[in-house]
Amino acid sequence: MNQLNIIQTLRLQTHLNQELESRVLQRTFELEQATEFLINKLAIVAELHDETTGKHIIRVGKYSGLLARKLGLNEQIVYMIEKAAPMHDIGKLMISREILVKPDKLSNEEFLHMQQHVDKVNVLFDDHPSMMIQMAQSIAIHHHEKWDGSGYSKGLTGQSIPIEGRIVCIADVFDALTTKRPYKPAWNFDESINYLKEQAGSHFDPQLVELFVSSIPEIKAIQEEYKDD
């Protein structure tokens, strides 16, 4: 093979490699988009089962992404937290609807049954290799843990609670406080912020509460953009 043929062969091989890499990247992107689409749809189904608004899951995702970014996490991690956060209550699909929409305080037995929604998540996800699914699984399992160890279901404390769980815990509670639920009226903005401050160090990661409170203009902007109809 002469030198010209060698050069042409190398160029062809380079082109084929680039084409293959481009196809792999496109396929990876398509799979990521499909995963994100399915996550969003499942999250909406879970919220409808619970009779809460679909805007709740959007706001929780946006609050979580904002808080993760304020904390200085890697942008890819921020993206995954924001996109996976709407799946935080996916386990409620396996909880009795009568309990989820009950307008009165739950009995001890009913509350214990409701708590099981975080343990049922593993049945749904079953250690899927997707990083996005793994993030959604971790959030769904850990977002009811409390900084002082009094949460459920594992009773984890402080920084032993995965950061994504600590972030979504604040986002979810804040949005639940500021919206009407079958068992309570909506709290006003200041009451809800004060509750976060009061519970910093017991229910919530105090550093994350401080970051959340310092982000009030952005939080109000999210509330306004994604307010309930």
Side-chain angles (χ1 to χ4, degrees):
M1 182 180 293
N2 60 40
Q3 187 175 3
L4 179 59
N5 286 339
I6 292 174
I7 293 174
Q8 290 176 335
T9 300
L10 289 174
R11 286 176 175 172
L12 177 60
Q13 186 63 51
T14 299
H15 174 74
L16 290 174
N17 288 341
Q18 290 174 342
E19 179 67 20
L20 179 60
E21 182 179 355
S22 176
R23 290 182 181 182
V24 169
L25 289 173
Q26 179 62 28
R27 181 59 175 161
T28 301
F29 175 76
E30 290 172 356
L31 288 172
E32 289 175 349
Q33 292 294 101
T35 300
E36 183 180 329
F37 175 82
L38 290 173
I39 283 176
N40 286 334
K41 293 303 180 184
L42 280 171
I44 290 172
V45 170
E47 292 302 315
L48 291 174
H49 181 67
D50 194 11
E51 277 198 0
T52 54
T53 172
K55 295 289 183 68
H56 165 71
I57 64 172
I58 297 174
R59 290 191 299 266
V60 168
K62 294 297 182 181
Y63 294 148
S64 298
L66 170 66
L67 194 48
R69 190 168 288 110
K70 291 281 185 176
L71 186 60
L73 297 182
N74 176 279
E75 192 59 34
Q76 184 179 6
I77 300 299
V78 172
Y79 174 83
M80 287 198 295
I81 289 175
E82 180 173 330
K83 297 302 180 181
M87 289 278 280
H88 61 282
D89 276 337
I90 188 64
K92 286 184 177 179
L93 284 172
M94 305 176 74
I95 299 297
S96 167
R97 194 166 182 274
E98 287 73 22
I99 288 179
L100 295 176
V101 301
K102 183 178 178 180
D104 304 314
K105 184 178 180 180
L106 299 181
S107 68
N108 289 336
E109 183 179 354
E110 289 170 333
F111 185 64
L112 287 173
H113 176 69
M114 189 276 295
Q115 287 181 326
Q116 293 176 15
H117 78 276
V118 299
D119 295 319
K120 294 180 181 294
V121 170
N122 289 326
V123 177
L124 296 171
F125 292 123
D126 195 26
D127 297 325
H128 193 279
S130 163
M131 290 181 67
M132 183 73 80
I133 294 296
Q134 290 177 24
M135 178 66 76
Q137 182 179 23
S138 178
I139 287 171
I141 290 172
H142 297 110
H143 76 287
H144 284 295
E145 299 287 0
K146 295 184 180 181
W147 186 257
D148 64 4
S150 64
Y152 63 90
S153 64
K154 302 182 185 305
L156 301 179
T157 61
Q159 295 188 1
S160 65
I161 306 167
I163 187 61
E164 58 270 19
R166 284 179 270 151
I167 286 172
V168 177
C169 176
I170 291 175
D172 182 37
V173 170
F174 176 78
D175 197 70
L177 291 175
T178 54
T179 54
K180 182 181 177 180
R181 294 297 174 91
Y183 52 86
K184 72 166 202 57
W187 291 21
N188 68 42
F189 189 92
D190 290 339
E191 288 174 332
S192 302
I193 288 292
N194 286 336
Y195 179 83
L196 296 186
K197 291 178 179 178
E198 291 167 2
Q199 294 296 313
S202 54
H203 191 154
F204 309 113
D205 180 334
Q207 180 188 10
L208 293 179
V209 169
E210 184 177 348
L211 289 173
F212 194 85
V213 172
S214 71
S215 307
I216 285 177
E218 295 100 317
I219 294 164
K220 287 185 174 181
I222 291 170
Q223 276 192 325
E224 178 61 25
E225 184 173 358
Y226 300 102
K227 61 186 177 181
D228 296 331
D229 299 325

